[in-house]
Amino acid sequence: MPPRKPPSVLVDDVSKSFRIPHEQMHTLKERALHPFRNRDYNEMHALHNVSFAVPRGSFYGLVGRNGSGKSTMLKCLAGIYGTDSGRIYVDGRLSTFIELGVGFNPDLAARDNVMLNAAMLGLSRKEARNRFDSIIDFSELHEFVDLKIKNYSSGMLVRLAFSVMIQVDADILLIDEVLAVGDANFQQKCEDEFRRIKNSNATVIFVTHEMKAIREFCDQGVLLERGHVVEIGEVDKISSRYMDLNFSDEARAAAASERDADDAARATAEIAS
């Protein structure tokens, strides 16, 4: 019997919380006039002792309702957020597709942004040049390659961002809700690309609300609810439990009061900036 391969990603007892000040100050003048005003805060716990292992070469679903902590978990995996406790182990080259257009300069043309973004994702200048035509072919933006990014529509932006990401030879991909954007034709291209990635032995951690995509692409997954792991393993069980959480009486009663952990993180970042 061959030795069992270690997981590509191991999340071990990870917790994460955010401090939300009772009163926000947005300018330097406000801080100078009221240096002690923001001492009181609420602590919001986004993740509670989360643990799971992502097998090497698997397409792994990270599922949860709004406010479940799944996007916070993904950003912890990407190194965007630090953890309060616990450890995350990543074995391989990582590429992230979390927020559209991150790393793009709106005042530069698409041609220049492709080179910059490819470099940020780990490609050398030569590799980026060699793959430039493939990136533009996939995005179908040949007529707009010299147009500044700030003049792109959101659909054009996601085409370009996704096209760059799939050209990176990463061992592990972190992908957040990409199938929820773009027109029907682009979504179909994304699905075809996912099938190719699934057969390439890369490890993918995929965040989505779309259970059809989870059942089609994912081998295993984890379901989060209010920062806790409530189900882990086969996608059929996760999908069924997710639907129960969404349509139970308790879920409908709680939905009005839930806040996404990322909203809290953004509010905290704005105050600190």
Side-chain angles (χ1 to χ4, degrees):
M1 184 175 179
R4 187 174 181 180
K5 294 181 179 179
S8 287
V9 176
L10 178 63
V11 177
D12 183 19
D13 205 29
V14 165
S15 295
K16 176 66 178 176
S17 61
F18 299 98
R19 291 183 174 183
I20 313 302
H22 290 168
E23 185 176 356
Q24 298 184 19
M25 289 190 288
H26 301 285
T27 67
L28 184 60
K29 181 179 179 181
E30 286 180 297
R31 292 188 194 178
L33 292 174
H34 308 285
F36 304 108
R37 181 173 287 177
N38 266 348
R39 293 274 174 106
D40 296 329
Y41 59 86
N42 292 326
E43 190 160 8
M44 188 169 102
H45 297 279
L47 298 171
H48 303 264
N49 306 113
V50 174
S51 296
F52 60 90
V54 181
R56 192 173 301 275
S58 68
F59 214 112
Y60 198 86
L62 183 54
V63 184
R65 300 185 298 156
N66 288 338
S68 65
K70 62 186 185 303
S71 292
T72 299
M73 184 73 256
L74 202 67
K75 289 180 179 179
C76 288
L77 291 169
I80 297 171
Y81 294 160
T83 62
D84 296 339
S85 61
R87 302 290 296 271
I88 295 174
Y89 303 91
V90 177
D91 183 14
R93 184 179 180 185
L94 193 69
S95 178
T96 64
F97 190 73
I98 295 178
E99 293 186 9
L100 302 183
V102 170
F104 284 156
N105 185 328
D107 292 317
L108 293 179
R111 184 186 303 276
D112 299 317
N113 271 293
V114 165
M115 301 300 291
L116 281 172
N117 209 242
M120 290 173 62
L121 291 173
L123 292 181
S124 68
R125 184 183 296 272
K126 181 178 180 181
E127 288 172 327
R129 282 198 303 265
N130 290 340
R131 302 184 190 195
F132 179 82
D133 288 342
S134 296
I135 292 170
I136 299 303
D137 287 343
F138 189 92
S139 67
E140 300 176 356
L141 294 172
H142 303 85
E143 298 176 41
F144 308 101
V145 71
D146 293 313
L147 184 67
K148 290 183 178 180
I149 288 292
K150 65 183 178 183
N151 296 316
Y152 271 33
S153 68
S154 58
M156 294 165 69
L157 186 61
V158 69
R159 285 174 181 268
L160 190 64
F162 186 78
S163 301
V164 175
M165 186 206 71
I166 62 175
Q167 289 296 324
V168 177
D169 298 323
D171 303 306
I172 304 165
L173 296 173
L174 306 179
I175 304 177
D176 191 1
E177 295 283 11
V178 69
L179 294 182
V181 293
D183 56 26
N185 178 62
F186 184 72
Q187 289 182 24
Q188 183 61 54
K189 290 182 71 170
C190 288
E191 291 181 10
D192 293 341
E193 187 62 24
F194 274 15
R195 293 185 186 95
R196 183 195 67 79
I197 293 171
K198 185 177 175 66
N199 295 325
S200 70
N201 293 323
T203 302
V204 179
I205 300 178
F206 180 43
V207 169
T208 184
H209 290 94
E210 179 54 60
M211 289 301 102
K212 178 179 178 292
I214 287 290
R215 287 191 294 266
E216 180 175 355
F217 295 110
C218 295
D219 310 304
Q220 301 178 44
V222 58
L223 172 62
L224 300 178
E225 173 66 9
R226 299 185 185 180
H228 296 272
V229 174
V230 297
E231 192 70 59
I232 191 166
E234 298 300 322
V235 293
D236 287 341
K237 290 197 303 180
I238 287 172
S239 177
S240 177
R241 188 70 183 276
Y242 176 82
M243 299 305 288
D244 289 343
L245 288 172
N246 269 283
F247 296 107
S248 67
D249 292 337
E250 180 184 355
R252 283 192 287 267
S257 62
E258 284 189 347
R259 293 184 62 187
D260 197 320
D262 276 347
D263 291 339
R266 292 190 187 99
T268 305
E270 288 176 4
I271 295 166
S273 63

